[in-house]
């Protein structure tokens, strides 16, 4: 015990080193590296984690491993306790506290997501104009030509990200700005509540005191006449006093149905910019960035594979990375080809699986090796035939995760030990033999699987 007390940080470090032997690298990176040791009390390590989510994740996934490592290294009586780190005061709060004459902001309005910045927004031809306009607005809110700024486009393409980035960046420049950021649904709800409680004046004041009003997804105002009426007045008050309004929508404002025409004509006085689905290179860049943010190092070939299959939606690209991380943590395995295939398949509704079958693999191997398909699934032990068969078996397992028994059955009713031998042989040949390596990677490419 004294040993621990004398050097708590070192003691905890030795626990982490022990955990590194048992857990995948990315799990350590994602969940253990951010832990701070804050003390040792009542025979327990007191550890701080960044947020509630980490706390729950660690407790539900790694409790046994941590306990075991501590027991092995120290003593059965030693435990650990996790705490969520308190959020640091932001400088804005400090200012409000120390300078009472500054108009205090209504907290609920300040719900900008600090992760959405211009710095981590990846730019391609699909969103360049939108980003430039957004940045310009945040540097100089209220310029007439850019008021209102309307960012429109499909789901998951970065509209909300850009809108929050405007808020975050403007605050960086001027901390006293009153930024009101809300979804159109919240706005509606707020309005309805204010009607119920006879507080429409307060409602109006809250919104009309903003320096920048950010409203997300205004398509939800559709058909809500009274809310639109309120919004129209708010809009006019702000616009006339040179305050910036930023809106996002799923369509070009001119094509929006169910919104009053006087609102639509107001929208036209500003600037509408669109975000489009990203092209291949932008998707790769986004995946690299998101993997890095999540502490994952993925082979370029895996990134490319994901980018090739998930095309329309950046949220999906991000979701794939998170899902990979979650699954590999959950199953306690390193990220491998099979896991990536599985996760991508879930995302695209199994389309990959449908394109690939054992027959397809055999056909491709036959084309590449000049051994006939019949020979590949037949009995012959001739060297080149046996090798083509082994390559096919290997690819079935590696791409589709087919069970050893099923592979054996398909390839001439062989048993699973034969299949295991084949997998081992090809794995070895791949690392020692360039011809084999090239052949496997070109078959993969032809099948749409460009993993190395
Ligand atoms: P939308 O509001 O258009 O539906 P979001 O702004 O919510 O989309 O974006 C979905 C996710 O994708 C967010 O996590 C966002 O950070 C991310 N994202 C979108 N576009 C980009 C981009 N160009 N660079 C980096 N991340 C992006
Ligand atoms: Mg959005």
């Amino acid at each position: 015990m004294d040993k621990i007390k004398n050097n708590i940080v070192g003691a905890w470090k030795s626990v982490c080193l022990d955990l590194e032997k048992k857990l995948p690298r990315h799990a350590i990176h994602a969940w253990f590296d951010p832990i701070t040791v804050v003390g040792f009390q009542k025979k327990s390590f007191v550890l701080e984690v960044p947020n509630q989510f980490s706390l729950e994740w660690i407790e539900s996934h790694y409790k046994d491993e941590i306990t075991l490592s501590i027991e092995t290294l120290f003593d059965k009586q030693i435990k650990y306790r996790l705490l969520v780190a308190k959020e640091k005061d932001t400088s804005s709060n400090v200012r409000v506290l120390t300078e009472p004459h500054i108009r205090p902001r209504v907290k609920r309005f300040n719900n900008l997501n600090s992760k959405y910045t211009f710095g981590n927004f990846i730019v391609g031809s699909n969103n360049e104009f939108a980003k430039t306009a957004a940045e310009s607005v945040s540097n100089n809110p209220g310029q007439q030509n850019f008021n209102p700024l309307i960012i429109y486009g499909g789901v998951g393409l970065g509209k909300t990200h850009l809108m929050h980035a405007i808020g975050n960046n403007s605050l960086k420049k001027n901390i006293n700005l009153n930024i009101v950021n809300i979804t159109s649904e919240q706005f509606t709800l707020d309005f309805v509540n204010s009607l119920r409680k006879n507080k429409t004046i307060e409602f109006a004041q809250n919104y009309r005191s903003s320096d920048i009003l950010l409203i997300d997804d205004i398509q939800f105002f559709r058909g809500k006449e009274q809310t639109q009426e309120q919004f129209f007045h708010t809009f006019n008050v702000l616009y006339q006093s040179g305050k910036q309004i930023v809106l996002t929508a799923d369509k070009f404002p001119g094509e929006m149905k169910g919104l009053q025409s006087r609102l639509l004509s107001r929208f036209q006085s500003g600037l509408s910019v669109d975000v489009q689905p990203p092209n291949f290179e932008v998707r790769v860049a986004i995946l690299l960035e998101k993997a890095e943010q999540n502490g994952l190092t993925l082979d370029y070939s895996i990134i490319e594979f994901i980018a090739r299959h998930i095309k329309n939606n950046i949220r999906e690209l991000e979701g794939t990375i998170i899902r990979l991380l979650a699954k590999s943590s959950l199953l306690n395995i390193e990220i491998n080809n099979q896991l990536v295939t599985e996760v991508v398949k879930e995302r695209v509704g199994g389309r990959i699986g449908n394109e690939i079958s054992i027959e397809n693999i055999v056909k491709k191997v036959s084309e590449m090796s000049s051994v006939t398909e019949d020979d590949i699934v037949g009995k012959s032990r001739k060297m080149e035939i046996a090798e083509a068969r082994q390559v096919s078996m290997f690819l079935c397992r590696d791409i589709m995760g087919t069970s050893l028994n099923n592979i054996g059955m398909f390839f001439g009713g062989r048993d699973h030990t034969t299949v295991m031998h084949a997998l081992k042989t090809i794995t070895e040949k791949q690392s020692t033999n360039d011809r084999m390596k090239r052949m496997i990677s070109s078959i993969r490419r032809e099948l749409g699987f460009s993993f190395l």
Side-chain angles (χ1 to χ4, degrees), residues 116 154-161 183 216-217 219 248 315:
Y116 291 166
V155 176
L157 296 179
K159 302 183 294 296
T160 302
H161 188 131
T183 65
D216 209 359
D217 289 325
Q219 65 272 17
T248 72
R315 189 175 293 133

Side-chain angles (χ1 to χ4, degrees), residues 90-92 105 109-121 134-135 137-141 158-181 212-214 244 246:
T90 64
S91 47
S92 62
R105 272 184 245 133
F109 289 152
N110 254 325
N111 53 357
L112 290 170
N113 185 337
S114 58
K115 288 202 204 110
Y116 291 166
T117 63
F118 290 124
N120 63 18
F121 188 83
E135 217 164 0
V137 160
S138 73
N139 287 330
N140 206 349
K159 302 183 294 296
T160 302
H161 188 131
L162 280 178
M163 202 175 82
H164 283 240
I166 293 176
N168 287 322
N169 199 41
S170 324
L171 267 185
K172 225 161 63 184
K173 300 206 168 284
N174 179 357
I175 203 155
N176 295 319
L177 287 177
N178 184 20
I179 300 190
V180 174
N181 162 48
I212 302 183
L213 175 65
L214 309 169
Q244 179 70 45
V246 180

